[in-house]
Amino acid sequence: MPPPSVPTRSFSRAEVASHNKDGDLWIIIDAVVYDVSDFAALHPGGESVLLDVAGKDCTDEFYGLHRHAVLQKFGPKYAVGVVSGESPKVLTKVQPGDISRVPYAESSFWMGSKSPYYNETHIAFRKAIRHFVDTELRPHAQEFEENGGKIPIELYQAMGRFGFLAARIGPGPHLKGLKLPGGILPEQFDYFHELIAHEETAALGSPAFSDGLGAGFVIGLPPVLAFGSKELIAKVAPQVLLGNKRICLSITEPTAGSDVANIACTARKTPDGKHYIVNGVKKWITNGHFADYFVTAVRTGPGMGGISVLLIERGEGLGTKPIKTSYSSAAGTAYVTYDNVKVPVENLIGKEGGGFPVIMFNFNHERWAIICAVNRSARLVAEESFKWAHNRKVFGKSLIEQPVIRFKFAKMFSQIEAIQSWLENITYNMTKMSYKEQSATLAGPIALLKYQATRVAHEVSDEACQIFGGRAITKTGMGSIIESFQRTYKYGAILGGSEEIMADLGVRMAMKAFPKDAKL
């Protein structure tokens, strides 16, 4: 059967072969016949490229140079029929939301393995989320990834109505009364549902666009929900969860990154005690350029006990400028300035001088979410590379037939699956532990896993670049996802705590638990 939108008229290969000249140029791609006579002069590679395959089956040549998406986009306009007695053989995602059939393109449960972690609610949830991503987000992803710009609030609101935003900050009271993807009830929702939400966002393969869709929300709203007053939560949370307002976490400064205690942005109370006056700067604030709310770390006194956290609304005295980073401006990475910004004391999150616990509160969750996204991105890169190695012909045979290439995949697959296994183990423990237990037990393992996940991302990027060659350093075309990944995977190695800090934290936590009577 021909694909949808392809005319049902049939042609023999001999008939197609007769259309082999300038002005009368037909080709065959995967059993579908295309009349590209009018397109030939517009072909980016020149008309001669098409004349060389005029009247012929050029399936191999096409897929050696183009992604299938090109055929999906332009094919229907030029398709005139199918080859008699033949049908398309190229494996594609026929429907939005489909699970990939490429080995290791999905984690093991979704490839058919048994798992104690997932149930029917997770299956329904992933199906709904992936369908939403494929139909509502993916059509916009490449445009914003390439050109940048502010993602429309309407798209953010669509995510809010669908329950996508709420699903990215874990189970909790904030889910009450909200619609969740797949018809999941709030009491059914767990951290595995959230893991799926992070993975599906990362699977877009457009990191700036993905981060622009609420990376600031994932780390900005939880401190408000956990430490904000009832009045502050009531004011902020519903608007943010529904996508009507955007929020970010504003902690990092030009001179204070992992060293949170070095924060210099000040907040001084007015004589009447009703407001704080905030002055200072913040840097590399994800979503900051278009955020409405800024969860801001400020200095209200000396030392570690002099750090506080305020919710600051965009307004007079607060300015944002975009920062040009390795990915596009769609992420809204910003330089934030506070110039005598007047903030009501009611916007204090937690206690004055008690900001350090507020800041540390969400670090485990943030790092865990980064692991979810980094490993899913690495998996996407491995899938793209595996497809390419089967498509690409070199020295008269497929690239995958080279032992050195197969060894690269052995490393990629085994490392990605190892990260996934530890991630799911940690996630399971998150579903069984209170926050206090998680802080005591999981901080070290999460730190070590984040370190290992970003090291694996480095290895995967390196191997994929070697497999794709020049296409891996070309922003468009067959290697676009690999190019994007090799340019941006270091975000995960820096944000939320650098690799060095994570490795050291993990070992220090192990040292803390080391039994004093243990001897060789």
Side-chain angles (χ1 to χ4, degrees):
M1 292 291 292
S5 77
V6 172
T8 56
R9 188 178 175 188
S10 296
F11 301 94
S12 68
R13 286 184 173 266
E15 286 180 278
V16 176
S18 67
H19 299 273
N20 60 3
K21 55 184 179 294
D22 188 13
D24 184 19
L25 202 165
W26 289 15
I27 58 174
I28 299 170
I29 302 175
D30 195 29
V32 178
V33 180
Y34 298 91
D35 181 353
V36 293
S37 305
D38 295 333
F39 173 72
L42 304 175
H43 187 264
E47 188 173 2
S48 62
V49 174
L50 289 177
L51 286 171
D52 287 343
V53 294
K56 303 175 184 177
D57 188 324
C58 61
T59 302
D60 288 343
E61 291 85 350
F62 178 85
Y63 283 108
L65 296 168
H66 304 285
R67 303 180 71 87
H68 185 71
V70 173
L71 201 61
Q72 291 176 310
K73 182 177 181 179
F74 298 106
K77 181 178 180 180
Y78 298 102
V80 293
V82 295
V83 177
S84 301
E86 300 182 23
S87 58
K89 298 178 181 178
V90 174
L91 175 64
T92 61
K93 287 173 65 175
V94 179
Q95 297 295 331
D98 279 358
I99 298 293
S100 176
R101 290 167 53 192
V102 176
Y104 300 103
E106 312 275 358
S107 54
S108 61
F109 175 77
W110 309 99
M111 300 298 292
S113 294
K114 306 302 180 185
S115 171
Y117 302 132
Y118 300 98
N119 57 41
E120 292 300 321
T121 69
H122 299 109
I123 295 172
F125 183 81
R126 185 181 287 278
K127 183 177 180 180
I129 284 280
R130 185 165 293 192
H131 186 275
F132 182 89
V133 168
D134 285 348
T135 57
E136 302 296 328
L137 303 183
R138 195 174 299 281
H140 307 284
Q142 198 59 35
E143 175 190 349
F144 281 98
E145 195 67 27
E146 291 179 2
N147 303 321
K150 182 179 179 181
I151 297 172
I153 191 67
E154 291 78 13
L155 197 57
Y156 212 65
Q157 290 169 331
M159 293 178 69
R161 291 192 300 271
F162 187 64
F164 204 148
L165 295 177
R168 295 169 70 190
I169 55 172
H174 68 280
L175 298 177
K176 185 178 180 181
L178 291 177
K179 171 188 174 184
L180 292 172
I184 307 304
L185 300 176
E187 57 268 26
Q188 295 174 312
F189 190 89
D190 64 22
Y191 285 110
F192 281 99
H193 294 99
E194 186 189 352
L195 182 152
I196 290 168
H198 293 310
E199 287 183 332
E200 292 302 315
T201 307
L204 281 165
S206 302
F209 179 68
S210 295
D211 281 357
L213 293 173
F217 157 84
V218 172
I219 57 178
L221 187 59
V224 177
L225 295 175
F227 296 97
S229 66
K230 291 182 179 179
E231 294 76 16
L232 193 63
I233 294 171
K235 175 184 177 181
V236 173
Q239 291 299 309
V240 172
L241 288 167
L242 291 175
N244 297 323
K245 296 283 187 178
R246 297 191 249 206
I247 194 169
C248 69
L249 186 66
S250 188
I251 294 177
T252 303
E253 298 180 4
T255 57
S258 297
D259 184 9
V260 175
N262 204 35
I263 284 171
C265 183
T266 61
R268 303 284 184 249
K269 272 187 178 177
T270 55
D272 61 8
K274 293 182 178 180
H275 294 85
Y276 290 99
I277 303 299
V278 179
N279 285 280
V281 297
K282 300 290 180 178
K283 195 172 185 180
W284 301 294
I285 305 305
T286 305
N287 297 174
H289 192 48
F290 45 69
D292 301 291
Y293 299 120
F294 297 76
V295 176
T296 306
V298 295
R299 181 161 294 287
T300 51
M304 187 72 75
I307 296 174
S308 303
V309 178
L310 296 172
L311 178 87
I312 303 178
E313 295 186 55
R314 183 181 288 275
E316 186 178 355
L318 191 154
T320 57
K321 299 177 182 178
I323 296 176
K324 292 183 179 180
T325 67
S326 297
Y327 60 16
S328 85
S329 62
T333 308
Y335 186 82
V336 185
T337 57
Y338 303 84
D339 186 9
N340 291 322
V341 179
K342 195 173 184 180
V343 183
V345 293
E346 290 80 11
N347 283 25
L348 180 68
I349 299 174
K351 298 179 180 179
E352 185 173 306
F356 194 72
V358 175
I359 295 169
M360 297 302 294
F361 166 80
N362 202 45
F363 264 150
N364 280 344
H365 181 266
E366 176 186 359
R367 291 163 182 165
W368 172 83
I370 289 172
I371 297 164
C372 297
V374 166
N375 205 49
R376 185 60 183 87
S377 298
R379 190 182 293 279
L380 175 63
V381 168
E383 178 188 10
E384 291 280 303
S385 302
F386 206 35
K387 289 178 180 177
W388 173 248
H390 280 81
N391 290 349
R392 176 67 166 162
K393 300 291 193 299
V394 290
F395 304 115
K397 55 185 178 181
S398 296
L399 193 60
I400 195 64
E401 294 183 52
Q402 302 288 346
V404 67
I405 299 299
R406 294 198 295 272
F407 182 64
K408 292 179 183 295
F409 285 111
K411 289 196 290 183
M412 285 196 281
F413 294 156
S414 60
Q415 290 175 322
I416 290 168
E417 290 302 326
I419 296 296
Q420 189 73 29
S421 180
W422 197 1
L423 173 61
E424 291 181 349
N425 175 269
I426 286 175
T427 304
Y428 175 75
N429 278 277
M430 289 167 64
T431 68
K432 299 298 181 181
M433 292 181 179
S434 66
Y435 167 72
K436 186 176 181 179
E437 289 178 292
Q438 290 182 34
S439 298
T441 308
L442 298 181
I446 288 173
L448 290 176
L449 183 56
K450 182 177 181 292
Y451 160 75
Q452 185 63 11
T454 55
R455 283 291 83 204
V456 167
H458 174 82
E459 294 290 337
V460 169
S461 176
D462 188 57
E463 300 292 8
C465 283
Q466 296 308 112
I467 291 169
F468 270 85
R471 289 173 173 83
I473 53 174
T474 304
K475 285 192 173 184
T476 58
M478 305 294 281
S480 59
I481 288 175
I482 281 68
E483 188 280 331
S484 176
F485 188 70
Q486 62 88 10
R487 185 167 31 87
T488 60
Y489 76 87
K490 292 298 289 184
Y491 281 73
I494 296 170
L495 304 183
S498 69
E499 285 185 345
E500 294 77 11
I501 297 293
M502 293 297 93
D504 184 60
L505 173 60
V507 175
R508 284 192 292 109
M509 293 297 288
M511 291 170 62
K512 188 176 180 181
F514 189 84
K516 294 180 179 180
D517 58 351
K519 307 293 182 184
L520 278 177

